[in-house]
Amino acid sequence: MQHIPDDPEAFCRQHWRPLAQSLAVYTDDVALGQDLAQEALARVLVRWSRVRTMRSPGGYAYRIGVNLARDVLRERQRTRPGGGATGHAEAQDPTTRMSIDRALAALPPRQRLAMSLRHLADLSVAQTAHAMGCRPGTVKALCHQAAANLRTSPQLDWHPASPVRPRDTHEVPIDE
């Protein structure tokens, strides 16, 4: 069972950083993520007498943050000239190394959100599902798809270990 502080300020201190990080990854904007987390927690404080009795007050805070982020992203989509995609898939020099932040930013928005809530905010599958407004199985599927996308991304400088092969008897060792 999740520990819920009686003090609303303690609750906000406990949830601000992971909420801000998750929303920053979701929106691909650190300042926006912090602003959205601040707004979400302000809304929680206004309703604290009701929120503190909920089964998952933290999940409620995340749900507000995710909804605020979706609203901002929809508004950006409407106001962007051409209304096209965000441009995360722009062509890049194949030798450019991509940080994990850029790799996450390249994921589809729902996969990015699921990964950030599960692994940055450290929410359970059920809490993530509540925050995203979907079923737990959907969260599991989105995280699985995101992990697969990250593993196979040609933009990442990550390669699985090459299989060990028997040494050819005609090879000359490099170190000799």
Side-chain angles (χ1 to χ4, degrees):
M1 175 116 193
Q2 180 183 7
H3 172 69
I4 300 149
D6 289 330
D7 177 21
E9 289 181 30
F11 175 85
C12 290
R13 280 191 302 274
Q14 177 184 353
H15 290 281
W16 188 83
R17 181 180 301 276
L19 177 59
Q21 288 174 333
S22 296
L23 295 172
V25 169
Y26 179 51
T27 61
D28 196 23
D29 185 332
V30 172
L32 178 59
Q34 292 173 347
D35 290 345
L36 293 170
Q38 196 75 15
E39 177 64 24
L41 292 173
R43 291 183 184 191
V44 165
L45 288 176
V46 168
R47 299 171 184 89
W48 182 249
S49 61
R50 186 169 39 114
V51 171
R52 68 181 290 229
T53 64
M54 292 179 173
R55 194 174 85 195
S56 178
Y60 179 74
Y62 280 91
R63 182 65 181 256
I64 291 172
V66 168
N67 287 340
L68 290 169
R70 286 177 177 159
D71 290 344
V72 168
L73 294 176
R74 272 194 294 268
E75 183 60 29
R76 283 184 179 177
Q77 187 70 20
R78 278 194 297 273
T79 60
R80 186 177 310 113
T86 61
H88 286 302
E90 68 267 6
Q92 293 183 359
D93 179 354
T95 61
T96 302
R97 290 182 186 212
M98 195 169 146
S99 70
I100 191 65
D101 294 339
R102 295 272 303 153
L104 287 170
L107 290 173
R110 283 178 46 112
Q111 289 179 16
R112 184 170 60 242
L113 178 60
M115 289 294 278
S116 67
L117 292 174
R118 284 284 293 130
H119 301 290
L120 291 177
D122 201 28
L123 297 183
S124 69
V125 171
Q127 291 168 325
T128 301
H130 177 73
M132 292 181 67
C134 64
R135 294 178 181 264
T138 303
V139 170
K140 292 177 186 178
L142 288 168
C143 288
H144 177 78
Q145 293 162 358
N149 284 340
L150 291 172
R151 279 192 301 274
T152 61
S153 175
Q155 299 150 327
L156 289 175
D157 187 26
W158 177 86
H159 304 285
S162 59
V164 177
R165 62 182 176 85
R167 188 172 178 155
D168 186 351
T169 57
H170 298 307
E171 279 185 331
V172 176
I174 295 175
D175 58 343
E176 289 184 8

